[in-house]
Amino acid sequence: SVIHKLGIKPYDLIRTKETIFIENFKGKTYSDDEWIRILHENPILIERPILIKGDKAVIARSDEKINEFLENN
């Protein structure tokens, strides 16, 4: 549901610079459902922080993103 609220594909939620990603998943192709399973099994790979308000969410990596999200939702 969080991925749906973000309006992105599961792969877009992945921290691709993490060692676990580089060593185990980089360059491989997985379905959206498989990426969700991988994220569930390896939560370190999930971009954060994520702000959720109602049916909207945003990856809030900057103060600007946080303020924009809070002002508009």
Side-chain angles (χ1 to χ4, degrees):
S1 71
V2 172
I3 291 169
H4 178 73
K5 289 177 183 187
L6 286 165
I8 62 174
K9 298 292 245 169
Y11 183 83
D12 297 328
L13 191 57
I14 296 172
R15 298 172 70 196
T16 58
K17 294 181 182 176
E18 283 291 331
T19 302
I20 292 170
F21 176 82
I22 293 167
E23 292 177 354
N24 298 302
F25 306 108
K26 185 176 182 179
K28 297 180 182 177
T29 303
Y30 297 97
S31 69
D32 287 349
D33 288 339
E34 289 170 320
W35 280 122
I36 290 170
R37 180 186 51 78
I38 290 165
L39 290 168
H40 178 75
E41 293 172 356
N42 303 277
I44 189 85
L45 292 176
I46 299 172
E47 284 283 356
R48 55 195 179 277
I50 298 172
L51 294 179
I52 302 170
K53 187 172 182 185
D55 64 347
K56 303 281 185 188
V58 67
I59 300 170
R61 299 205 31 123
S62 69
D63 290 342
E64 181 179 291
K65 280 275 196 186
I66 293 169
N67 290 334
E68 178 182 321
F69 180 75
L70 293 175
E71 289 173 4
N72 295 320
N73 294 293

